[in-house]
Amino acid sequence: TIDELLQIFIYQAKVKGIRIREELYPIIRNKIEEKKASPKGLGNARGIENLVGKFDSNRFQRIQRILASGIRLDAETIHTFEAEDFEDE
């Protein structure tokens, strides 16, 4: 189910040391639903792992842009997903 896939997403992000605020759960849920409805589909932990990796890459790019602008960030901010990390390119 979508709820199970969301729980797998949360778990896999936690294993990578990434925090997710609860208010982002609906955004993640929508992304999982979109991916599941796509032609390639999504339905197992491996697909969720790939999705976490994609959004983690977006997080990394966001952090790099902020740091490049000279702003210093604390560890919690660096290791937390933000809504913009879930935007498609």
Side-chain angles (χ1 to χ4, degrees):
T1 69
I2 298 296
D3 288 334
E4 291 169 329
L5 294 173
L6 176 61
Q7 290 307 310
I8 292 168
F9 186 101
I10 294 166
Y11 172 78
Q12 289 186 357
K14 184 177 179 180
V15 167
K16 287 179 164 257
I18 304 169
R19 296 178 181 170
I20 304 172
R21 294 187 320 274
E22 276 191 48
E23 62 262 23
L24 296 177
Y25 290 1
I27 294 171
I28 298 166
R29 179 184 246 290
N30 288 340
K31 292 296 180 178
I32 291 170
E33 288 173 342
E34 287 173 11
K35 187 70 173 172
K36 191 168 176 135
S38 73
K40 290 186 180 181
L42 175 77
N44 60 33
R46 180 69 177 150
I48 292 294
E49 185 178 348
N50 292 339
L51 207 54
V52 170
K54 176 185 183 293
F55 297 138
D56 190 28
S57 177
N58 292 351
R59 180 187 63 84
F60 180 76
Q61 291 173 19
R62 174 180 54 83
I63 297 299
Q64 292 294 36
R65 283 192 308 273
I66 294 169
L67 293 175
S69 73
I71 297 172
R72 296 182 70 127
L73 299 172
D74 61 24
E76 182 174 343
T77 301
I78 290 172
H79 297 287
T80 302
F81 273 136
E82 296 294 339
E84 69 186 90
D85 300 332
F86 301 101
E87 294 173 3
D88 294 323
E89 294 86 62

